[in-house]
Amino acid sequence: MLTELSMLSSPAVPATSDPAAPLRLRIVMPTLDEAERLPATLERALEEGDEIVVSDGGSRDATVALARSLGAHVIEGPAGRGLQLERGARLDSGSPWDIVLFLHADTLLPTGAGAGVRQAVADGAVGGGFEVRFDGARRLYRLGDRLVSWRTRLTQCPLGDQAQFVRREVFEQLGGIQPFPILEDLDLARRLKRAGRIAILSPPVSTSSRRYDRQGIVATVALNWTIWALYALGVKPRRLARLYRQIR
């Protein structure tokens, strides 16, 4: 396991400085007991990114071994998605990168996602994310797809299950990811929106509906909106985390 100091150090190799060189994409995946879903997600990510970093929060299953066997860099440390994302972005792997994309272990990138992200940043976007499609078969999920797409384009704030991405210079200027147990994605989206133009890309990512299936669609949506509203009113993420039955 890496030491806390080495995990949090900034990469020693500078990002690509040649404007003619292709923009290099690092994909960071936070994991916690994701051995069942990891292979499909990781194999797709390897097709789209130049470097994959799996940031594990203490998995007790085969997640870490699988990630290494499939060719990802692995960094281990305390659980907490904000902490894990920040560790993954800051990992000194010896390879330069220009864009970082944060990918949940239960979210599949569409074919061509890497090229789309690189083009969006080359065209001047500071970052962004993707439209989303839930993998559940129920018709209600198709309504959910449309509502999330509408909300994302209206607010210009793609969230964590939408494969958020950020240009490296902007990531550094913003101070990286906050170490929140939840809402680190909303916090990043709001700060990123203030930094410049946001790109919302399609085709959509495919993300798991497992939490909605487990807790109920209406109850989960209501909980999400309650948490977002309380956060907007100033309630701290660590207090809001108690409303979650499970923090991933």
Side-chain angles (χ1 to χ4, degrees):
M1 183 177 296
L2 299 178
T3 66
E4 190 70 17
L5 179 61
S6 65
M7 284 191 295
L8 296 178
S9 61
S10 297
V13 180
T16 304
S17 58
D18 181 359
L23 295 173
R24 291 185 56 83
L25 176 63
R26 169 180 283 192
I27 298 177
V28 175
M29 295 175 56
T31 57
L32 183 62
D33 295 330
E34 292 286 2
E36 181 179 353
R37 289 181 175 268
L38 184 65
T41 306
L42 187 52
E43 286 171 8
R44 181 68 60 82
L46 286 163
E47 296 173 359
E48 304 296 337
D50 297 293
E51 179 184 43
I52 313 299
V53 177
V54 169
S55 182
D56 192 72
S59 292
R60 292 167 293 181
D61 63 5
T63 294
V64 169
L66 275 171
R68 288 193 172 118
S69 70
L70 291 170
H73 295 286
V74 176
I75 187 169
E76 301 176 70
R81 201 152 57 202
L83 289 170
Q84 289 174 239
L85 293 174
E86 180 73 359
R87 285 198 299 268
R90 301 291 182 185
L91 173 66
D92 182 359
S93 67
S95 299
W97 57 273
D98 304 286
I99 310 164
V100 60
L101 182 149
F102 300 110
L103 181 67
H104 289 185
D106 59 1
T107 299
L108 288 174
L109 292 172
T111 300
V117 168
R118 294 181 186 94
Q119 188 62 55
V121 171
D123 289 343
V126 298
F130 286 76
E131 293 185 344
V132 69
R133 188 180 192 280
F134 295 100
D135 65 5
R138 296 171 61 182
R139 289 184 179 179
L140 193 54
Y141 284 123
R142 304 294 70 81
L143 174 61
D145 299 341
R146 292 192 291 272
L147 289 175
V148 172
S149 177
W150 174 81
R151 184 261 299 161
T152 303
R153 293 194 177 277
L154 178 66
T155 64
Q156 293 290 286
C157 286
L159 298 179
D161 55 4
Q162 295 175 258
Q164 292 174 311
F165 60 90
V166 189
R167 200 175 76 214
R168 178 173 180 158
E169 308 92 279
V170 177
F171 181 79
E172 298 293 353
Q173 291 166 9
L174 295 178
I177 303 288
Q178 295 298 312
F180 296 160
I182 61 172
L183 298 175
E184 82 296 328
D185 55 346
L186 178 56
D187 172 77
L188 175 62
R190 292 171 69 179
R191 289 186 290 136
L192 191 59
K193 181 179 175 180
R194 293 193 292 267
R197 183 168 66 82
I198 302 300
I200 310 299
L201 306 183
S202 60
V205 296
S206 175
T207 195
S208 173
S209 61
R210 59 183 173 177
R211 190 162 66 92
Y212 296 88
D213 292 335
R214 183 172 61 244
Q215 300 178 359
I217 295 175
V218 174
T220 304
V221 170
L223 176 60
N224 288 344
W225 281 96
T226 298
I227 288 174
W228 294 338
L230 291 172
Y231 179 62
L233 291 172
V235 181
K236 301 298 184 184
R238 293 192 182 281
R239 292 188 60 189
L240 293 173
R242 300 170 190 170
L243 296 177
Y244 265 163
R245 297 180 185 178
Q246 183 181 25
I247 301 171
R248 298 291 292 179

